Amino acid sequence: MHPFRRTLTQLRDLVRAFRTGDLARAAILVSPILRTPLELEKDVTVVDFALPGEDELRALLDGMVTANADTVPVRLDDRGRDRLTRAALGLTLTEAESAFELAMVDGGRLTESGVEVVLAEKAQTIRKSRLLEVIRTAGHCGTVAIGSGAGESAR
C-alpha cells in the first residue's frame, strides 16, 4: 500500500475511534496551507486563526529590540518601528520574527532600511506559497489613475 493511502486510512480510523469512544476527543492538525484530501473532507472541520495584528507585531519587535539591546545597535525612532511593524503585517509571528532577525543582522544594526528586508522576506513567503507573485514597481498608489472616462484621475 502506498504510504499516502496508509496515512489516509490511519486518519479515518482515528476519526472513527474518536467518535465511538467513551471520551470526547479531537485530533488537531496544524498547517499554514489547507490541503485536505477528498477522502477526508467530510471528516474535517477547518478552523482559521487570524494572523497577528499590528499590536502583536509591534510587541514582538519591541521585545526583540530589548532582548538584543547589548548586541544590536538600534537607529530607529517610533516612526521607523511603526514602518517595520506595518511591513510585517500578513506574516505569522514566526515569519515576522525571522524577518525582524534578518533586519537586525543586516549591517549589524537595526535601521529603517530594515523595512526593505522585511518586505523582501514577505515577498519570499508569498513566492513559496505559489499562490501569488509579487511584482515590485517604482510607483505608488498616488500615481494610479482612477475613473471611467478619459481625463478622469485621482491622486
Side-chain angles (χ1 to χ4, degrees):
M1 179 184 283
H2 191 274
F4 179 71
R5 286 274 160 222
R6 184 176 25 248
T7 303
L8 279 175
T9 302
Q10 290 171 334
L11 283 171
R12 294 193 84 192
D13 290 346
L14 181 70
V15 167
R16 211 174 355 268
F18 278 12
R19 285 190 177 148
T20 60
D22 294 336
L23 298 172
R25 297 174 286 182
I28 299 173
L29 307 174
V30 180
S31 174
I33 298 173
L34 178 63
R35 290 190 186 133
T36 307
L38 288 173
E39 296 89 344
L40 294 177
E41 280 186 354
K42 292 182 181 181
D43 298 317
V44 172
T45 299
V46 176
V47 179
D48 288 319
F49 292 97
L51 290 168
E54 210 167 322
D55 292 340
E56 287 176 279
L57 292 169
R58 178 60 182 260
L60 173 67
L61 176 63
D62 290 343
M64 291 176 70
V65 165
T66 300
N68 294 288
D70 295 337
T71 55
V72 179
V74 177
R75 313 252 192 282
L76 208 55
D77 58 9
D78 277 342
R79 181 181 170 275
R81 287 186 188 205
D82 288 344
R83 288 192 65 220
L84 262 176
T85 300
R86 283 193 303 276
L89 285 171
L91 297 174
T92 66
L93 281 177
T94 303
E95 292 166 341
E97 183 177 26
S98 294
F100 292 154
E101 286 171 348
L102 279 173
M104 288 179 161
V105 299
D106 186 47
R109 62 184 179 276
L110 185 60
T111 65
E112 206 159 328
S113 66
V115 170
E116 288 303 317
V117 174
V118 172
L119 290 174
E121 281 302 296
K122 184 189 277 188
Q124 183 176 354
T125 300
I126 292 169
R127 272 194 310 275
K128 285 179 191 176
S129 74
R130 296 184 177 165
L131 297 175
L132 296 172
E133 181 180 345
V134 176
I135 300 172
R136 303 284 306 253
T137 65
H140 55 84
C141 291
T143 61
V144 176
I146 301 170
S148 59
E152 290 184 49
S153 66
R155 288 200 189 276

